[in-house]
Amino acid sequence: MKVFKSIREWQAERTSLSGTIGFVPTMGALHRGHATLLESSRSENDISVLSIYVNPTQFNNPEDLTNYPCTLDADLALARELSVDAVILPRYADMYADGYHYRVDETDFSRTLCGINRPGHFTGVLTVVMKLLNLVRPQRAYFGEKDHQQLTVVKGMVDAFFMPVEIVPVVTVRDADGLALSSRNARLTTEARRLAPLFPSLLAEPDDDASIARKLADEGFTVDYVETRNGRRYGAVVMDCGSHTVRLIDNLPMHEAKGV
Ligand code: PAF
């Protein structure tokens, strides 16, 4: 497995590669959800490329950026175990040599749901994903359905700009109690972790969005939103963990709601 910290060195390597390339962009703190993305890439392509880059432009909350977990040694060990061929670890100065003056903006779906309380988040995501796709030039790129709004706007960008890459959705990986795997789960206190599975469980109730939001609030969650759009229910909640808070997101297609 080759590790590239320099974009220039990666670009030189890229020109020498032939065969199909599968790409998994991440911000590190890898878990079984990321492993599933990497396994899909491995099984569908000749070469698998992983990027680990905590992208500052998608964090609207500086505290969230500072506290984002970093487990690089474990991440590289997992990547090796999963037979990843190349890992890119770009530096801010290289990724944003333009000073973030050039951005990719989506002005419709990205302004809803997570986009309401996280202004600028999806512009940061789309901009970095565009940069990474241009650097890696994969045939396929893998995105988890847990971040379904992200998956949708990335797919929309690729279509809008005629980018020659297939965006492959991968189903959400969950713990046995139903909580969707997320790098942020590591920051839940024992008490918050005990309560957290109620979030996906209530989200899957056949009630209307407002009733579900009320039930979540009654259980102690701070509700950002519960909203059904295009046959899918999306939710985001904030959990109080004493010294800090942890934001959880999840979604499910309505045909998977309980009793449907
Ligand atoms: O989903 C993530 O981890 C990030 O938003 C992504 C796609 C790697 C862009 O920074």
Side-chain angles (χ1 to χ4, degrees), residues 25-28 34 51 53 55 58 68 121 124-125 128-129 132 143 147 150 154:
T26 77
M27 298 205 295
H34 296 112
S51 68
Y53 180 63
N55 172 38
Q58 69 188 77
Y68 201 82
H121 167 68
V125 169
V128 82
V129 170
L132 290 166
F143 287 81
D147 298 299
Q150 167 174 283
V154 166

Side-chain angles (χ1 to χ4, degrees), residues 56 59-68:
F59 286 83
N60 55 306
N61 174 352
E63 202 192 318
D64 194 20
L65 173 60
T66 315
N67 292 326
Y68 201 82

Side-chain angles (χ1 to χ4, degrees), residues 174 177-180 194-207 212 215-216 219 221 233 250-252 256-259:
R174 296 178 182 279
D177 58 13
L179 182 65
R194 196 188 52 74
L195 182 65
L198 260 180
F199 171 44
S201 170
L202 286 175
L203 215 53
E205 292 284 336
D207 288 355
I212 289 168
K215 284 186 191 171
L216 283 164
E219 293 291 348
F221 295 91
R233 177 174 286 142
D250 208 335
N251 66 88
L252 79 157
E256 283 178 20
K258 293 174 194 169

